[in-house]
Amino acid sequence: MKNNLFRIGWLVLLAAGVCLAQDAAPRVPAQNAPQLERFDASMLDKSKDPCVDFYQYACSKWQAANPIPKDLPSVGTWTPLYLWNQTILRETMEKAAADPKANGTEKQVGDYWKSCMNLDERAAKGKHWMAEALKPVDAMKNKHELPKVLAHLHGGLVPAWEVDDDQTNTAMFGFAPYQDYEDSSKMVAAFDQGGLSLPSRSYYLDEDANSKKIREAYKKHLVRMFELVGDTPAQASKEAAAVFEIESGLAKAQMEAVDRRDPVKIYHKQSLAQIKAALPDFNVEEYLRLSGAPMPPFYIVTTLEFFPVLNEQIKTRSLDELKSYLRWWTIMSTANKTTPELEQANFDFFGTELRGTPKMLPQWRRCVASADARIGEALGQEYVKIAFPPESKAKALELANGIRTALKQDVGELDWMAAATKKQATEKLDAMIQKIGYPDKWRDYSSLKIVPDNFLANTDAANAFEVRRQLNKINKPVDKMEWGMTPPTINAYNDPQNNTINFPAGILQLPYFDVKQTDAANYGEIGAVIGHEITHGFDDQGRKFDAKGNLRDWWSAADAKAYDERGNCISTEYTHDVPELGPGVKTNGKLTQGEDTADNGGLHLAMMALENLYKARGKSLDVPEADGLTARQRFYANYAFTWCESARPDMERMQITTNPHSLNRYRVNMPVSNQADFAKAFGCKAGQPMVREPACRVW
C-alpha cells in the first residue's frame, strides 16, 4: 500500500544528510554506457501522413530500428536512458565494493552489491535462507498466532505496501501511515484491501480466454514453487489449491480500480473498535502492537466490504490452509533473493507468462534496481553529482515557471468556470510546490545493517528499515519536502495532498530534456511532462483537493457539472476496442481519465508556454528552420518521440487491465487530435483522423 494512494505518476516503468553541493563539473559514466536518444527530423517517416496517424509518422522508423530485447517487456526511447542511469549506479556500487577502506553509506552500498551479485553464495545457501524465512509460518500451532506471524512478515519479508516490483500486492491486507484527507497536516494510518498475487481482481474473476489462461498458468506456477522449496507433488497441489481459493475469495471483495480512483469512495474514518468488529477472528490490537505502529486518533479504511470477507476466510479456512497461504507469500516475496533456480521460476510466471518477456535482465541490472528501490537516496547522491549539474536544475525551474504561468492564463480565459472557482484554482496553483532533481536533505541510513554475504538478509533489513521509518510518521507532522521517488527515477508525480509536483533528476535527461536543445524541443518533451503533473492537481481526482491538500469541495455545482461534462468527453474518447491485441480487448477511459486529462492538459499548457516565450521574443513558431521543421512542428514531433515504443502484446493487455495510463500510441494520437495548434502545425483538415470533432478539452 503506497503512503499516498493518490500520488499520481507520469509514467510507470519497469520506482539523513545535508544538501548536496554541486560545485564540481559533472562526471560522465564509463564508455559502455549507451548513447542517449535525441530526436532528429530524419527520424520522421515522410511516407506516412501526420494527419492520419501521427504516432506512426513520428515513431515507425524508430520502431523498425529498435526491436524489443529478449529481457524486456517493451523498448522505448527511454530505454537507453534507463540503462545509462543504471550504469552510473553500477559504477557507484562497484567502486564502493572494491574499496577496502569504505565506511558508512559507501560501505552499505558496496556490501549490498556484493551480496546481490554473489550467485555462488545464493546457490549454496539460498535454500537454507528460504527455510529460515518459512520457519515462523511453519511453526504456527493455531490461528491465534496469525497476528504475530503477519506482523512479522509485514515488518520486512512481505511489507504491508510495495517496496519494489517483486510483488504486486501484500499478504491479507495493507497497513501503512496515511495523510488524513480532511486535514493534510496530520499523519494517521490506513488499512487497505490486499491479499492478491496477480495484478488485479479481474485476473481472478474475468471469464475471457486470456484471464482463464493466466489463472491456469498461475495454478501450475504455485505447484512448481511449493515443490521447489521441498514439498512433495501431493503437498504442493494441496497448498496451491488453498492459496488460489483464498485469493479468489478475497478478490470478490476488492473494490474496482475505477472506484478506487475516487478519494471520496475510499475515505472511511473508523475507530479501532469498528475495525475489530469487522475482523473479530483476527486480533487487530496484537497485530498493531507487534508492528510497532503508534495509535492514531482514527484509521482510514479504504474498502469497507473487504474486512468481513477476509474475516470469513480466516474463520472458515483450516490452519493448514492459512499456513499454505502465508507460506506462498513468503516464497513469492523472497524467491528473487534466494537461489537462482527459485528466481528463474518466479520470473517464468511473473515475467514471461504475465508480461511476455522471454528472458531475465542481466544480474547486475537486477541488483541495481533492487538497491535503488531500497537504499535509493544513498545511491542518488552520487547520481546527482554525475548527471545533474546546476544549469540543468535552473533550466528545469524556468520551464516549470513558464508552464505554471500558462495555466494561470488558461484558467483566466475559461468560459465555463465562475470567478469564485477560478480564484480558488489560482490559489491552489500559487501554493503548489515544485521539487526539482533531488531532496534538500538526504535520508539517513546509518541504522540499517547491510552484510556482504546474505542478500535475503539485506533486503529484509532494508524493508524493515523502511517499514519502521514509515510507521514512525504516524501522529507526526507531515514532511511536504520528502520525496516519493529516488533521484535516478525516470518518472515524475503530483502529490495532491502535499500540493507538490516532483521531477527526479533521472527524467531530466535526454530524450526528455537537455539544456542545449531548442526551447521547442524542451517544451515538447519535458515541458509536456511538467504540464502533465501540474494538470494532475486539477484532474478528476486532484480537483477534489484544495490548496492545502485537504479533501474539500471548492467547486460550485454548475462548475462541477461543467467539469464532469468535459471529463466525460475524455473518458468516452479513450474507451475503445484494441483489435490488434485480440477479441474483446477494450480500453477503459474511466480508469485512465486522470492520466488522459493530464496528457491533454499538459501538452496544451506546454504549447501555450512556448507561444508566450516566442511572442516575448518577437519570433514566430511557424517559420521553417534548417531541417525543414517549424518550431511548432518540432514541439509536437519531440513530444511524440518521447513516447515511441514497441511493447509485447501480453504487457499491453496487462496495462489495459491494471494501469491508469493509456498505451503510448494513444498518449500521442489522442491529445494531438484534440488540439487546434497541432492541426495548424501540420495543415490537418476537418475529417482527418488527427482532427477530432468535437475536440475534448478540460484544461
Side-chain angles (χ1 to χ4, degrees):
M1 179 179 175
K2 299 297 186 185
N3 294 339
N4 189 336
L5 193 61
F6 288 102
R7 191 181 73 194
I8 307 167
W10 164 79
L11 176 66
V12 179
L13 298 175
L14 306 175
V18 295
C19 185
L20 183 67
Q22 290 189 301
D23 50 3
R27 291 165 283 165
V28 294
Q31 292 182 354
N32 60 353
Q35 183 175 348
L36 299 181
E37 293 274 15
R38 182 191 294 272
F39 172 78
D40 185 271
S42 64
M43 296 175 176
L44 299 174
D45 188 345
K46 298 298 180 65
S47 70
K48 293 181 167 49
D49 188 341
C51 300
V52 172
D53 188 331
F54 189 61
Y55 186 76
Q56 283 297 301
Y57 174 79
C59 296
S60 60
K61 289 175 70 172
W62 183 92
Q63 289 174 319
N66 292 274
I68 306 173
K70 290 184 177 181
D71 54 9
L72 289 175
S74 64
V75 62
T77 49
W78 55 266
T79 305
L81 172 58
Y82 185 50
L83 184 54
W84 191 81
N85 286 353
Q86 284 196 313
T87 301
I88 294 175
L89 301 184
R90 175 186 185 172
E91 292 177 350
T92 298
M93 299 184 80
E94 286 180 332
K95 178 183 175 184
D99 185 357
K101 297 181 180 179
N103 55 51
T105 300
E106 186 180 11
K107 182 171 178 11
Q108 288 175 313
V109 167
D111 285 348
Y112 195 98
W113 178 255
K114 290 176 185 176
S115 71
C116 185
M117 290 296 292
N118 193 339
L119 292 181
D120 291 339
E121 183 87 10
R122 290 169 62 181
K125 299 180 179 179
K127 286 188 176 181
H128 172 70
W129 299 343
M130 177 66 77
E132 290 295 308
L134 286 168
K135 274 186 177 179
V137 178
D138 292 339
M140 284 179 64
K141 297 294 190 296
N142 56 64
K143 293 184 185 181
H144 297 302
E145 296 181 61
L146 183 58
K148 178 182 70 174
V149 175
L150 194 61
H152 166 73
L153 295 178
H154 281 178
L157 286 171
V158 191
W161 59 84
E162 288 182 76
V163 173
D164 62 10
D165 288 336
D166 291 344
Q167 58 196 63
T168 60
N169 211 311
T170 189
M172 291 202 166
F173 58 81
F175 176 72
Y178 219 74
Q179 277 179 271
D180 181 20
Y181 281 178
E182 292 179 342
D183 184 351
S184 65
S185 68
K186 294 180 179 179
M187 188 67 79
V188 289
F191 286 95
D192 195 16
Q193 63 189 34
L196 310 186
S197 304
L198 296 178
S200 73
R201 69 190 297 271
S202 64
Y203 282 84
Y204 296 87
L205 306 178
D206 288 356
E207 291 300 318
D208 61 280
N210 188 60
S211 297
K212 290 180 178 179
K213 170 176 154 296
I214 289 175
R215 282 198 290 271
E216 291 308 308
Y218 177 51
K219 293 175 185 177
K220 293 177 182 177
H221 174 65
L222 288 169
V223 173
R224 181 186 182 191
M225 295 297 281
F226 279 120
E227 288 180 346
L228 285 175
V229 298
D231 285 3
T232 66
Q235 288 174 319
S237 294
K238 185 177 180 180
E239 294 207 88
V243 172
F244 187 79
E245 288 172 7
I246 291 172
E247 292 189 348
S248 297
L250 296 178
K252 294 174 184 176
Q254 290 208 351
M255 188 183 292
E256 293 275 7
V258 171
D259 287 334
R260 281 172 67 80
R261 295 191 64 257
D262 186 343
V264 175
K265 291 182 178 179
I266 64 166
Y267 184 63
H268 308 106
K269 294 168 67 172
Q270 289 201 331
S271 66
L272 180 57
Q274 288 175 299
I275 294 169
K276 288 167 60 179
L279 202 56
D281 289 275
F282 179 87
N283 191 329
V284 178
E285 281 186 295
E286 184 181 8
Y287 169 84
L288 292 172
R289 178 179 61 81
L290 293 172
S291 72
M295 185 172 291
F298 60 87
Y299 297 86
I300 298 169
V301 178
T302 61
T303 310
L304 294 178
E305 300 79 10
F306 183 75
F307 270 1
V309 174
L310 174 61
N311 189 77
E312 189 66 16
Q313 291 289 335
I314 294 171
K315 181 179 179 180
T316 60
R317 295 290 173 181
S318 69
L319 175 63
D320 285 344
E321 288 174 317
L322 293 174
K323 288 172 68 172
S324 294
Y325 174 82
L326 295 180
R327 290 186 88 239
W328 160 242
W329 274 89
T330 304
I331 294 165
M332 177 179 61
S333 300
T334 58
N336 294 358
K337 297 95 177 176
T338 52
T339 68
E341 183 182 26
L342 278 164
E343 184 173 25
Q344 181 64 57
N346 217 36
F347 177 84
D348 288 343
F349 177 75
F350 288 104
T352 303
E353 187 67 39
L354 274 181
R355 295 170 174 82
T357 310
K359 181 181 175 183
M360 279 196 291
L361 285 169
Q363 182 66 26
W364 75 267
R365 294 186 65 180
R366 306 202 300 275
C367 290
V368 165
S370 178
D372 182 48
R374 292 179 172 84
I375 51 173
E377 287 197 14
L379 286 169
Q381 296 180 56
E382 188 67 16
Y383 176 84
V384 167
K385 291 178 186 176
I386 295 169
F388 197 61
E391 56 266 29
S392 291
K393 185 165 186 172
K395 183 64 175 178
L397 284 167
E398 176 189 315
L399 287 161
N401 289 333
I403 293 168
R404 290 175 68 151
T405 298
L407 179 55
K408 186 175 291 189
Q409 174 187 340
D410 185 57
V411 169
E413 295 172 354
L414 293 176
D415 60 5
W416 55 270
M417 184 183 286
T421 310
K422 287 183 178 182
K423 181 175 182 293
Q424 295 203 59
T426 301
E427 288 175 355
K428 179 172 181 176
L429 177 62
D430 288 341
M432 190 174 283
I433 298 169
Q434 53 198 30
K435 297 188 290 187
I436 307 289
Y438 53 89
D440 293 333
K441 183 178 181 180
W442 296 100
R443 192 162 297 160
D444 179 6
Y445 293 98
S446 59
S447 64
L448 172 60
K449 181 181 178 182
I450 300 293
V451 297
D453 56 359
N454 190 325
F455 183 47
L456 179 58
N458 287 339
T459 58
D460 187 15
N463 291 347
F465 167 86
E466 182 62 14
V467 169
R468 288 193 300 272
R469 193 182 75 83
Q470 293 290 344
L471 293 180
N472 284 337
K473 294 178 180 180
I474 297 172
N475 295 335
K476 292 181 180 177
V478 171
D479 180 5
K480 289 179 177 284
M481 300 311 293
E482 181 180 2
W483 280 72
M485 291 179 179
T486 63
T489 303
I490 309 171
N491 209 335
Y493 67 98
N494 177 294
D495 184 339
Q497 284 191 270
N498 287 322
N499 198 16
T500 64
I501 50 175
N502 310 264
F503 306 96
I507 198 173
L508 294 168
Q509 317 288 340
L510 286 171
Y512 304 105
F513 173 73
D514 186 350
V515 292
K516 297 178 182 178
Q517 286 191 135
T518 66
D519 288 312
N522 274 331
Y523 272 96
E525 295 170 350
I526 198 65
V529 177
I530 295 170
H532 175 106
E533 297 307 336
I534 293 173
T535 302
H536 266 316
F538 304 90
D539 69 11
D540 63 311
Q541 293 174 308
R543 78 173 188 85
K544 296 180 180 180
F545 295 88
D546 64 17
K548 294 182 179 180
N550 296 326
L551 184 62
R552 180 176 69 84
D553 188 357
W554 48 273
W555 293 70
S556 71
D559 290 345
K561 180 181 178 183
Y563 185 100
D564 288 341
E565 289 172 353
R566 285 155 178 79
N568 288 337
C569 182
I570 294 280
S571 63
T572 300
E573 176 184 324
Y574 282 80
T575 300
H576 53 82
D577 294 324
V578 191
E580 64 269 28
L581 295 181
V585 179
K586 187 173 186 176
T587 59
N588 184 347
K590 289 293 186 183
L591 176 62
T592 61
Q593 183 179 338
E595 298 298 335
D596 299 333
T597 299
D599 282 346
N600 279 269
L603 190 62
H604 173 69
L605 294 176
M607 173 51 74
M608 283 185 68
L610 182 63
E611 284 184 322
N612 290 341
L613 184 65
Y614 267 59
K615 285 178 183 176
R617 294 173 178 172
K619 296 174 65 177
S620 170
L621 286 169
D622 301 305
V623 176
E625 298 174 347
D627 59 3
L629 294 179
T630 67
R632 197 183 304 274
Q633 290 173 332
R634 190 180 314 283
F635 169 90
Y636 287 109
N638 278 72
Y639 171 74
F641 182 69
T642 64
W643 292 112
C644 292
E645 177 192 55
S646 293
R648 300 184 189 280
D650 288 329
M651 181 67 182
E652 291 196 330
R653 280 190 288 268
M654 187 174 77
Q655 181 175 342
I656 287 172
T657 303
T658 64
N659 201 306
H661 300 82
S662 292
L663 300 180
N664 284 19
R665 51 189 174 275
Y666 304 136
R667 299 188 75 170
V668 173
N669 282 349
M670 299 293 202
V672 302
S673 68
N674 284 319
Q675 302 200 5
D677 278 301
F678 173 79
K680 179 180 179 180
F682 290 94
C684 303
K685 307 298 182 185
Q688 292 188 289
M690 294 296 99
V691 181
R692 187 171 296 276
E693 295 179 355
C696 294
R697 181 189 164 198
V698 181
W699 303 103

